[in-house]
Amino acid sequence: MCRTLAAFPTSCLERAKEFKTRLGIFLHKSELGSDTGSVGKFEWGSKHSKEGRNFSEDVLGWKESFDLLLSSKNGVAAFHAFLKTEFSEENLEFWLACEEFKKLRSATKLASRAHRIFEEFICSEAPKEVNMDHETRELTRTNLRAATATCFDVAQGKVRTLMEKDSYPRFLKSPAYRDLAAQAIAASASPSKGSPAEPSHT
């Protein structure tokens, strides 16, 4: 729904509404908010037009690469909701926390945020402990002594690889995503511009 509503035939508008409903399958009633502020609700409309991709292209792009999924706010939200069904959402939340962490410029904020991330995701018996080998855990602990924007790079990379090789393929095979992708393909096959005089078939 990147264009004005008047530019779309009624059938396209109906499909767009249906998309939103189907994406809600992933969300259920789960709350996607987190302390990192990075996992948000789906964002429809204006931001997609700014990114140069319409809704169906966004959805279909998720299966092209894990990078495209992570670069899409809707994709991140859908993937997060899927991970919640597998009780492994902490992996994505950690990755997102690291992405936000690397944007910090204040040394004081870097240090305090680094310890918060470590205590939340990495230390033994952390509330959202990610699956990590002992060597990486200890390396990250050592890095905290002089926190920099790169102190979580190794840990973040390993968690990302785990998600890409393990959870991501299952996400693409999930009935909810397959159904959504099929609808996106159908919408892509429809003309994006149509004459108002042309009736849409039912």
Side-chain angles (χ1 to χ4, degrees):
M1 295 172 61
C2 302
R3 307 171 192 271
T4 59
L5 295 179
F8 279 94
T10 303
S11 59
C12 291
L13 294 178
E14 290 301 320
R15 281 201 182 94
K17 291 179 182 178
E18 194 171 340
F19 283 151
K20 193 171 181 179
T21 301
R22 289 179 184 277
L23 223 51
I25 294 173
F26 284 115
L27 288 177
H28 254 348
K29 293 184 179 180
S30 61
E31 296 178 357
L32 295 185
S34 72
D35 293 338
T36 65
S38 302
V39 183
K41 294 182 179 179
F42 291 110
E43 296 188 10
W44 313 99
S46 62
K47 288 203 173 183
H48 286 291
S49 60
K50 291 178 182 178
E51 293 168 359
R53 290 191 290 173
N54 64 30
F55 176 71
S56 61
E57 288 172 341
D58 191 33
V59 171
L60 295 175
W62 302 348
K63 66 181 179 180
E64 292 180 14
S65 75
F66 193 46
D67 284 333
L68 284 178
L69 175 68
L70 293 179
S71 68
S72 162
K73 289 192 175 183
N74 286 342
V76 167
F79 188 49
H80 181 267
F82 170 76
L83 291 177
K84 290 193 77 167
T85 68
E86 297 197 335
F87 306 100
S88 60
E89 68 273 15
E90 68 278 355
N91 291 324
L92 180 60
E93 290 176 9
F94 170 67
W95 185 88
L96 290 167
C98 292
E99 288 296 288
E100 291 300 309
F101 173 77
K102 288 186 285 191
K103 297 176 184 178
L104 297 176
R105 293 295 175 262
S106 165
T108 302
K109 288 183 178 180
L110 276 171
S112 62
R113 184 72 64 83
H115 282 85
R116 193 189 316 167
I117 292 174
F118 187 86
E119 291 172 1
E120 185 176 4
F121 296 102
I122 300 178
C123 72
S124 180
E125 298 184 4
K128 297 181 179 180
E129 185 177 358
V130 295
N131 186 8
M132 190 172 296
D133 60 89
H134 177 73
E135 182 180 350
T136 302
R137 192 186 309 275
E138 291 309 306
L139 172 62
T140 307
R141 189 193 304 276
T142 300
N143 290 343
L144 293 187
R145 295 173 186 170
T148 66
T150 62
C151 67
F152 290 107
D153 280 5
V154 174
Q156 183 188 19
K158 291 198 173 184
V159 168
R160 184 194 184 286
T161 298
L162 176 65
M163 290 191 294
E164 184 173 17
K165 292 185 176 180
D166 186 35
S167 304
Y168 175 57
R170 289 200 300 275
F171 167 75
L172 296 180
K173 293 176 182 177
S174 67
Y177 177 72
R178 285 189 170 189
D179 191 27
L180 185 66
Q183 292 294 316
I185 291 171
S188 296
S190 299
S192 58
K193 294 181 180 179
S195 169
E198 292 179 358
S200 59
H201 69 275
T202 55

